Amino acid sequence: MSRPSPVDRPVLVLDFGSQYVQLIARRIRERHAFATIVRHDITAERVRELNPLALILSGGPSSVYEDKAPHCDPRLFDLDIPILGICYGMQLVCEALGGKVLPHAHREFGRAELRVVAADEPLFQGVPESTTVWMSHGDQVKDPGGAFLPIAATSTCPVAAVRHRDRPVYGLQFHPEVAHTPYGALILGNFLDRVCGSPGTWTMDAFIDRAVADIERQVGPTGRVVCGLSGGVDSAVCAALLTRALGQRVVCIFVDNGLLRSGERDAVSEAFGEHSSAELRVVDARERFLSALKGVTDPQEKRIRIGHTFIEVFRHEARSIPDARFLAQGTLYPDVIESGGSPDAPAATIKHHHNVGGLPAELGFELIEPLRDLFKDEVRRLGLELGLPESLVWRHPFPGPGLAVRVLGEVTPERLDVLRQADLIFLDELRIAGLERQIGQAFAVLLPVQSVGVMGDGRTYENAIALRAVDTDDFMTADWSRLPHEVLARASTRIINSVKGINRVVYDITSKPPGTIEWE
């Protein structure tokens, strides 16, 4: 597992329940500093061990004056480490160091005009005296206390930013991490560069060098690594990084389960068969998977059968590889956070680890996760640095059970073929319109619904296709994409004219929550 080098002293982001906490960490990394998310109640002793460059206290839904409101270890303020409090984090900082926080009659949710009252402050270097920021608060710092100097305000929030008079402690009532605050990235950069003295060494080139060294050290001079390829970007980049470190000692196993997108098998074979020194084994298990799914309509039962079949197929192939002692997984940093996979991670577990769970133990392999420090956008940049084709790096996420969870109802070869054709047309129209990379995920779903239509002079009674496209940064929440009507019209026309058996196309405008991104 790659760990940051000593020059990459981490920025610790203390999580107080903010919906933007991962976004804060990503924005810090975009400024070439290594950021990691930790529990809000991390102890001062543990912080000393981690030797951070800075602490950032996130926002959160609580009020600091409530009995059960989350607080940090008060000893953190005595460590002489630069601290930036954001929203709830600012209120917490001010309250802890002598200020007073109260509910306010004028709540601010959305855009607000910020007036910088201390332009010479390091935090606001290069920021206009008047600028737009994104607010989301009902409480305010009523009295910052004698220790803090107000350095910005809005029309209804006199204390919208503060600086401690004697310590390297700052607070922002607004959210600099969101795109709705145009100068937010500059403000965070000023904190890192001008207050913390960040060396700016968190880059993909540096990550590759450290990751390669870590992989070589873990695997040793003779060990071999098995890497399961799914066709998605995470496993592809994981395999490419391993190959950079170990060359032919990496064996990639790609299981064709018959549930792949159009062209998936060929794309993987080209990327790793022709342009990589890794050994690629393609296992044709289509009949086996489709047989296991015959007659099954319950989505959970589909997942269970696909999972069991995959383990059996993968286990048989992996055990035939001599000297293989390691199994690689494309685990990403959000997976680590959400599964509680780190002792310092926030306590609330949002979901169970969703990668190839159970395989290392069942196969007797040691697990290796070279991407576990990275966010998805960093993985894509890493893939490009490693020479993977853009068509593979920018593929939209794909569920582990494949098209089985996008064919609602029974999965058959005929229904899969219909879905593949419709999905390919939809994605092609997004590419033509230049929208593919702006969208977090897009796909088609074959519904178990037939409806009446008219084609030519005859009535039809055929299937419906639902199109789904979402905008998201972290896939934990997502909003439906406002696609241009002409793009949807072209996709619908092509699907109905080209895909036999489809006479109706609908567009899903459900966000997550309340819905999920996938339908099953």
Side-chain angles (χ1 to χ4, degrees):
M1 168 173 77
S2 173
R3 305 308 309 166
S5 72
V7 296
D8 285 325
R9 294 171 57 201
V11 174
L12 303 184
V13 181
L14 279 64
D15 182 9
F16 290 90
S18 171
Q19 61 180 318
Y20 302 132
V21 67
Q22 291 193 32
L23 189 54
I24 295 172
R26 288 177 59 234
R27 293 290 180 258
I28 296 300
R29 293 187 184 197
E30 288 169 2
R31 305 296 297 200
H32 304 301
F34 180 73
T36 186
I37 299 168
V38 299
R39 302 166 56 99
H40 72 271
D41 57 356
I42 187 170
T43 66
E45 289 79 12
R46 178 58 177 155
V47 169
R48 285 194 193 94
E49 291 176 14
L50 294 172
N51 188 29
L53 179 71
L55 306 179
I56 294 183
L57 280 56
S58 83
S62 302
S63 294
V64 296
Y65 47 77
E66 295 174 341
D67 290 340
K68 296 184 178 180
H71 287 75
C72 63
D73 186 336
R75 297 174 296 168
L76 296 181
F77 300 109
D78 298 323
L79 297 179
D80 197 33
I81 297 171
I83 294 175
L84 175 65
I86 296 175
C87 197
Y88 178 86
M90 168 178 152
Q91 296 168 10
L92 186 65
V93 165
C94 289
E95 189 222 29
L97 296 177
K100 180 174 287 189
V101 178
L102 295 172
H104 199 275
H106 298 286
R107 299 186 302 169
E108 288 184 306
F109 294 98
R111 289 179 174 86
E113 197 68 21
L114 183 80
R115 181 171 54 87
V116 177
V117 297
D120 59 339
E121 287 291 335
L123 223 55
F124 292 125
Q125 292 297 307
V127 178
E129 182 178 329
S130 180
T131 184
T132 301
V133 296
W134 186 259
M135 290 285 196
S136 181
H137 66 100
D139 298 331
Q140 288 190 14
V141 176
K142 182 68 173 178
D143 177 10
F148 283 99
L149 176 70
I151 57 176
T154 72
S155 60
T156 60
C157 183
V159 185
V162 295
R163 171 180 63 81
H164 197 281
R165 297 178 186 274
D166 304 314
R167 308 183 191 189
V169 178
Y170 292 80
L172 302 173
Q173 184 58 69
F174 58 90
H175 289 273
E177 70 273 21
V178 302
H180 304 303
T181 301
Y183 285 89
L186 177 59
I187 293 170
L188 290 174
N190 283 338
F191 175 69
L192 294 169
D193 299 337
R194 299 175 184 274
V195 177
C196 307
S198 171
T201 52
W202 178 254
T203 65
M204 281 301 103
D205 283 342
F207 174 84
I208 291 173
D209 291 341
R210 292 192 297 270
V212 165
D214 287 345
I215 292 168
E216 291 174 338
R217 182 167 52 252
Q218 183 177 358
V219 176
T222 60
R224 302 184 79 189
V225 177
V226 178
C227 182
L229 291 177
S230 66
V233 62
D234 301 341
S235 65
V237 173
C238 180
L241 182 58
L242 288 164
T243 304
R244 173 71 67 91
L246 305 174
Q248 295 179 345
R249 289 192 285 146
V250 179
V251 181
C252 296
I253 298 177
F254 180 72
V255 177
D256 185 348
N257 57 12
L259 307 170
L260 306 174
R261 288 173 287 195
S262 179
E264 198 99 63
R265 180 168 172 171
D266 291 341
V268 171
S269 296
E270 180 180 355
F272 290 95
E274 300 177 15
H275 305 297
S276 172
S277 59
E279 179 184 345
L280 175 64
R281 299 190 179 190
V282 178
V283 182
D284 190 343
R286 290 175 291 182
E287 291 186 7
R288 188 166 178 178
F289 278 87
L290 291 176
S291 176
L293 292 170
K294 189 173 182 179
V296 178
T297 59
D298 179 74
Q300 188 60 25
E301 183 63 23
K302 287 181 187 178
R303 292 176 180 273
I304 291 171
R305 294 196 181 199
I306 291 168
H308 287 167
T309 306
F310 179 83
I311 288 175
E312 292 172 0
V313 172
F314 195 94
R315 175 169 50 201
H316 180 268
E317 189 66 29
R319 285 179 173 173
S320 70
I321 301 171
D323 302 321
R325 296 192 300 109
F326 298 88
L327 176 67
Q329 288 185 179
T331 307
L332 303 190
Y333 187 50
D335 302 331
V336 176
I337 298 169
E338 294 162 10
S339 63
S342 167
D344 297 315
T349 299
I350 298 171
K351 65 181 180 181
H352 295 295
H353 200 286
H354 65 259
N355 281 302
V356 191
L359 275 175
E362 291 194 25
L363 297 175
F365 282 14
E366 183 178 337
L367 184 62
I368 183 169
E369 299 174 308
L371 307 181
R372 65 180 281 125
D373 285 331
L374 302 184
F375 287 104
K376 175 73 79 172
D377 56 323
E378 293 174 313
V379 171
R380 294 193 194 279
R381 293 203 303 272
L382 176 60
L384 295 174
E385 291 283 345
L386 292 169
L388 288 176
E390 290 196 7
S391 59
L392 189 58
V393 169
W394 288 101
R395 296 203 85 177
H396 287 181
F398 193 55
L403 296 181
V405 294
R406 295 178 182 173
V407 172
L408 275 59
E410 184 177 5
V411 179
T412 67
E414 295 76 21
R415 301 190 77 213
L416 285 166
D417 187 52
V418 167
L419 178 58
R420 283 194 189 95
Q421 294 179 61
D423 188 69
L424 185 63
I425 290 170
F426 183 38
L427 294 180
D428 186 50
E429 286 297 337
L430 294 179
R431 277 191 291 271
I432 292 171
L435 298 172
E436 184 184 29
R437 294 189 186 180
Q438 299 177 28
I439 295 168
Q441 190 169 355
F443 54 90
V445 179
L446 180 61
L447 306 182
V449 174
Q450 291 184 312
S451 65
V452 174
V454 178
M455 291 187 178
D457 295 323
R459 289 166 64 86
T460 61
Y461 190 62
E462 294 179 330
N463 295 297
I465 281 283
L467 304 181
R468 178 81 159 138
V470 298
D471 300 326
T472 179
D473 289 317
D474 54 21
F475 293 90
M476 295 171 61
T477 61
D479 194 14
W480 61 278
S481 301
R482 273 63 170 176
L483 297 181
H485 291 176
E486 57 270 22
V487 173
L488 291 172
R490 285 195 299 267
S492 175
T493 300
R494 282 184 61 188
I495 289 170
I496 291 174
N497 289 343
S498 305
V499 183
K500 187 176 180 180
I502 299 297
N503 70 351
R504 189 174 299 271
V505 175
V506 299
Y507 186 55
D508 182 354
I509 59 169
T510 311
S511 296
K512 175 189 178 183
T516 55
I517 294 178
E518 297 288 343
W519 277 48
E520 284 194 347

